[in-house]
Every structure is written in C-alpha cells, then in structure tokens.
Amino acid sequence: MALLLDTLGDRVLLGEAIPESCFSDWTGHAACRPLALVRPTSSEEVSRLLRLCHEHRRAVVPQGGMTGLAGAAVPNADSVAVSLSRFTGVESVDRDAATLTVRAGTTLEAVQNAAREAGFRYPVDFGARGSCHIGGTIATNAGGHGVIRHGMTRDQVLGLEVVLADGRILDLMNSMIKNNTGYDLKHCFIGAEGTLGIITRAVLRMAPPQGETHTLLCGLPNYKAAVALLHRLRGAGLALEAFEVMWQDFYTMSCDWRDSQPPLPTSHAIYVLCEAEGDANHLETALEAAIETGEVADAVLASNIPQAQALWAIREATGEFPLKLAPINFDISLPIPTIGDFVEAAGEMLQQRWTGISIVNFGHIGDSNLHLTVDGRSLAEDAPETHHAIEAEIYRLVGEYHGSISAEHGIGLLKRDFLHHSVRPEAMDVMRALKHTLDPNDILNPGKLLN
Ligand SMILES: Cc1cc2nc3c(=O)[nH]c(=O)nc-3n(C[C@H](O)[C@H](O)[C@H](O)COP(=O)(O)OP(=O)(O)OC[C@H]3O[C@@H](n4cnc5c(N)ncnc54)[C@H](O)[C@@H]3O)c2cc1C
C-alpha cells in the first residue's frame, strides 16, 4: 500500500473512505470492499498504476459507472479497483469528420449531448445513460436502442487509447473510417470487459440527427409473420430504428399494469412495436400489403408523440419487472428465424421441470436479441440452486440452437461458467492465449469472462 500511495498519492482511497458504490455493479452481486480504490486523472496515472500492479502481481479491477448487469466490475478483497470517474470530458468535436474524442470516464449522456450540440447524434442509447461511462460501454460493447440501424458500440468506435497490463500506453487513436493496416487491435479491447487493458480515451463516430420517425404497433398471428414483416419493412425504403417483438403473455401483462384501454386487443399471439424513419407513405403502403397477406391482423399507427410514448410504455414494462415480479432475466441472442421455436421449446422444457412456472418474452428481434424472463414468484422453492438450475437449462438450450448466452450485457462473473455453450473450445483457447499475451501476470480483472 505504501508503494501505491507513493506512486499515486491522493488518487488512492483506502478502508472506510472507499464508497460502497464501488463494491458491486447494478446486480449487487458478490459485493466486496476492494483493498484500495484508485481514481486516476490521466492516462499516465493509469499507466503508473498498472506498471506497479504488474510488477507486484496485484489484481486490478477497472470500474466505470457500475451499471453493468453481469458482475464484471465487482472487486474482491485483494484487488485494486480503478475508477475512471475523474478522467472525464469531451476533448474535441470534429464536425467535418463527424467524430468526437472523449475520455473514458465521460458519461454516455454527456457524449450524446456533445454530439447533439454539434448537430449530430451519438446513436448508442439505453436507460443507464446518465451513469454509465463511455469506457464502460466500450468495454462491454453495449447495445440498447437503435442497434438495428446503427449497430453496437463497436460500430461507433474509430480509435482507442488503452493502457496495457504492464503500463504501456497503446495509442490506437485512429480517426479515419478507412484504415486497413493489419490487425485492427482496438477490437480486442471492445467487449473485453476490462480483462485485456484499461481504455482511457476513444474516437467515436457521430450519426446524422434523426429525421421524421413513425411508431407502429401491430398484432400478428404468429412469430413467422413477425419475421416476414421485418423482411417487408426492411425493403420498404425506410430506416428501421426499432423492431420489438412482444409475445402475448408479455403484452397482456403489461396492458394489465396500465390504467388505459389496450391499443390493440390482447388476443393476438404476437405484437410488433416498430419505429421507422422516412416517408410515412412508404410505411402505410408496406402495412397495407402486410394486412392483405395476413401477416398483420391489426395495427395502430401513432399520430403524435404522446401516442407513440403510450405504445412504447407497453414495451417498457420491463422497468417494472423488479417491482412486480421476481425476475430471472435472460439476455440471449439466437438466429432470427429460430427465435419463435426457441421460445416454445424453452417454455415446454421449463414447464416439464418446474410445473406452473410463468415466463414472459420480448425481444429486439431485428437485432436477434431475445429477453426471456422467468417470474421467480411462480416457483415452489425460490433458492439460489433453483435459479442456477434454470440458468443451466436455458443456456444449454441456447447452445443447442447455436445462439449466444449474452446478447449485450456481457459475461462477467454471472455467465462465465456457461460460456462454453456459445464459444467453441478452439475459440476459447485463442481467447486464453490472447489474455496470456497481453496480461501474462493475470492482473486485469482476473476471474471475469474466463476462468
Ligand atoms: C437501467 C439499465 C439499463 C441498461 N440497458 C442496457 C442496454 O439496453 N444495453 C446494454 O448493452 N447494456 C445495458 N445496461 C448495462 C450497462 O449499463 C452497460 O453494460 C454499460 O455499458 C456499463 O457501463 P459502466 O460504465 O457502468 O461499466 P461498469 O459496470 O462499471 O463496468 C462494466 C465492465 O466494463 C469494464 N470497464 C469499465 N470501464 C472500463 C475502462 N475504462 N476500461 C476497461 N474496462 C472498463 C469493467 O471492468 C467491467 O468489466 C443497462 C443497465 C442498466 C442499469
């Protein structure tokens, strides 16, 4: 500790001075006070810290806004937590290149605001925008709204500065769109959950501001019709911003929770909430054709912002899950055509083992992302072993369907033991080799992602 204090002085917090907010992430999983919390104010300070920890083989846990949902930023009692919360700010905005250069501790919301002020938008967006750091969103390759159009965080990153485990500062601050000069190393660190290096700065792309957007809710006879509608709307000359599928159980439950009359009857098997930018006539023409072929049974098109918000409120019932259910949430990806079959198979499999179990499903189907939620209240015994058994069964099924056990929230501690369902042994070997090359003393976020 003396060496740490000598090297970084008042950047170091010890004992009771360490705030509880750095004991665990949003999940509250395995909360623990770290040995020390270091809050560097520059890349050089991060470098000094890592050089020291590398020499002394001390575990380092990078922390952003602690909004992660995989337990990936959780420290243990022997580790040094590193928060980038004091290395913040947008360093520059380049309107000609449509890029921003930012420090890792800047919140996502501050980045969005800077882009808006420059006449653009930063298209990554989700509920934790006010707290999560841009460094955390890069380290988790966060998704959220708008992925169907703009891609994940990875697609917005042009350049990175990363401090390696031994303290070397890797300058990958590219700001050009075209740059084929061998391995694109930045991608190693995006989605690596702080296990390969600490991200300190980034060059991000900005998108043009959003144009006129239309919000549509449709009732459909089955999942196959939803896939057909997705295909149809993609070819309709519109830019799809969202294509959210709610299964009947989800829609009915969410409408029950609202005071108002459901915008569509609760009798349809599937509901699609869709947002599209472009000419309203294109949307109406596509919708008429979908109704004619029977793909869509019923539909309502929002004619103003409050109506659009009311439609979104149905889908945003997920925010109420922790209050009204005892949710066991799954954030998984599957090949789009198979999602309907997976939902049925998962439901049957769970019913066979836990009779009467209740499940609700919705998904960002345009992104191949399904959110399946088991309501723990319906379980006879609500023990951690039961949760674990349900997870094991669902992830095994995901593996059978060639899906991914993590669509957007990452692996961290919570999904680490299930990673083999989605990553082949050879790929796991390459991941371990990469980790060993970049972090031979295994100091960076040890035990997360890989074991
Ligand atoms: C209400 C809510 C809604 C959410 N919605 C979404 C959503 O729609 N889509 C989605 O993808 N996620 C979502 N999340 C999850 C979470 O917000 C994201 O994973 C976010 O990217 C985490 O950022 P953070 O700064 O809080 O990172 P943290 O939770 O602090 O850390 C997450 C991981 O990143 C690493 N890390 C953090 N900073 C750095 C750095 N500078 N260098 C290297 N590694 C670092 C940590 O070690 C850890 O492994 C949501 C969370 C909440 C609470």
Side-chain angles (χ1 to χ4, degrees):
M1 261 333 98
L3 272 176
L4 191 60
L5 288 165
D6 282 352
T7 311
L8 287 146
D10 66 359
R11 313 297 191 238
V12 182
L13 295 181
L14 299 172
E16 294 293 316
I18 301 173
E20 280 190 23
S21 54
C22 82
F23 291 6
S24 186
D25 65 4
W26 196 265
T27 62
H29 181 74
C32 178
R33 185 194 302 276
L35 193 62
L37 172 67
V38 182
R39 296 178 298 169
T41 59
S42 67
S43 308
E44 288 68 32
E45 288 184 356
V46 177
S47 165
R48 285 199 333 248
L49 170 70
L50 287 190
R51 203 172 309 127
L52 186 70
C53 291
H54 177 71
E55 275 167 27
H56 294 270
R57 294 177 180 256
R58 174 68 63 192
V60 175
V61 180
Q63 297 190 333
M66 301 302 276
T67 67
L69 298 174
V74 177
N76 66 33
D78 293 327
S79 60
V80 173
V82 188
S83 167
L84 275 290
S85 57
R86 284 181 162 190
F87 192 47
T88 62
V90 175
E91 290 181 353
S92 62
V93 179
D94 185 336
R95 288 184 174 81
D96 299 334
T99 60
L100 293 157
T101 300
V102 298
R103 294 176 178 160
T106 315
T107 63
L108 171 60
E109 191 168 46
V111 171
Q112 292 171 340
N113 289 343
R116 198 173 306 116
E117 279 161 27
F120 293 86
R121 69 171 161 154
Y122 182 65
V124 175
D125 187 37
F126 50 87
R129 67 183 76 77
S131 310
C132 68
H133 294 181
I134 205 74
T137 66
I138 296 169
T140 57
N141 186 28
H145 314 305
V147 168
I148 190 171
R149 180 165 184 194
H150 300 281
M152 308 276 280
T153 295
R154 185 184 298 284
D155 300 292
Q156 324 309 325
V157 178
L158 285 178
L160 280 186
E161 180 186 82
V162 181
V163 183
L164 297 177
D166 61 8
R168 278 177 296 165
I169 299 178
L170 193 58
D171 181 349
L172 307 169
M173 290 291 276
N174 166 68
S175 62
M176 298 167 290
I177 292 169
K178 288 189 173 178
N179 182 354
N180 283 344
T181 46
Y183 307 141
D184 196 346
L185 295 178
K186 66 175 182 284
H187 287 297
C188 295
F189 304 95
I190 303 172
E193 301 182 24
T195 59
L196 299 180
I198 298 191
I199 296 159
T200 42
R201 295 163 70 230
V203 182
L204 305 172
R205 298 175 78 163
M206 297 187 289
Q210 199 165 355
E212 198 191 348
T213 303
H214 314 284
T215 307
L216 173 72
L217 177 72
C218 303
L220 291 83
N222 50 46
Y223 178 76
K224 233 175 155 185
V227 179
L229 181 64
L230 175 63
H231 182 75
R232 182 184 293 284
L233 292 177
R234 276 185 168 143
L238 298 154
L240 275 185
E241 287 274 338
F243 191 88
E244 311 276 295
V245 172
M246 296 172 273
W247 273 254
Q248 189 175 26
D249 43 19
F250 181 104
Y251 180 81
T252 307
M253 185 183 69
S254 176
C255 289
D256 279 352
W257 288 352
R258 257 133 277 284
D259 287 339
S260 50
Q261 181 74 11
L264 293 176
T266 53
S267 51
H268 302 290
I270 296 284
Y271 296 81
V272 171
L273 180 63
C274 155
E275 202 166 84
E277 184 191 304
D279 189 334
N281 292 327
H282 290 170
L283 184 60
E284 279 163 20
T285 308
L287 183 58
E288 275 163 21
I291 290 172
E292 234 166 69
T293 58
E295 247 160 65
V296 169
D298 204 353
V300 51
L301 184 60
S303 55
N304 53 40
I305 291 173
Q307 278 184 18
Q309 286 169 340
L311 297 182
W312 271 102
I314 298 171
R315 146 66 189 86
E316 279 161 4
T318 42
E320 298 164 61
F321 280 9
L323 304 172
K324 296 186 167 154
L325 311 177
I328 307 171
N329 293 315
F330 292 90
D331 159 49
I332 53 187
S333 266
L334 295 144
I336 291 173
T338 68
I339 295 178
D341 291 342
F342 177 89
V343 166
E344 274 181 31
E348 279 167 23
M349 178 269 290
L350 292 172
Q351 282 297 344
Q352 269 173 18
R353 183 136 176 220
W354 294 277
T355 314
I357 196 167
S358 83
I359 311 152
V360 284
N361 296 287
F362 89 95
H364 319 289
I365 295 306
D367 311 335
S368 60
N369 183 185
L370 175 71
H371 290 286
L372 180 151
T373 299
V374 173
D375 183 3
R377 294 176 313 166
S378 58
L379 292 168
E381 46 169 340
D382 182 22
E385 304 81 61
T386 316
H387 283 213
H388 193 269
I390 290 172
E391 285 174 347
E393 287 300 310
I394 291 288
Y395 293 137
R396 185 190 50 72
L397 195 62
V398 169
E400 277 177 23
Y401 274 74
H402 306 290
S404 165
I405 63 158
S406 169
E408 55 181 3
H409 297 159
I411 301 298
L413 282 176
L414 295 180
K415 294 188 179 177
R416 188 192 60 188
D417 297 342
F418 304 109
L419 191 58
H420 62 280
H421 288 303
S422 292
V423 179
R424 313 294 307 160
E426 301 76 18
M428 205 86 100
D429 288 346
V430 175
M431 282 164 74
R432 289 209 171 90
L434 184 63
K435 169 75 175 164
H436 186 69
T437 302
L438 292 177
D439 182 15
N441 292 350
D442 193 23
I443 62 160
L444 279 170
N445 220 358
K448 311 290 172 38
L449 183 55
L450 296 170
N451 53 13

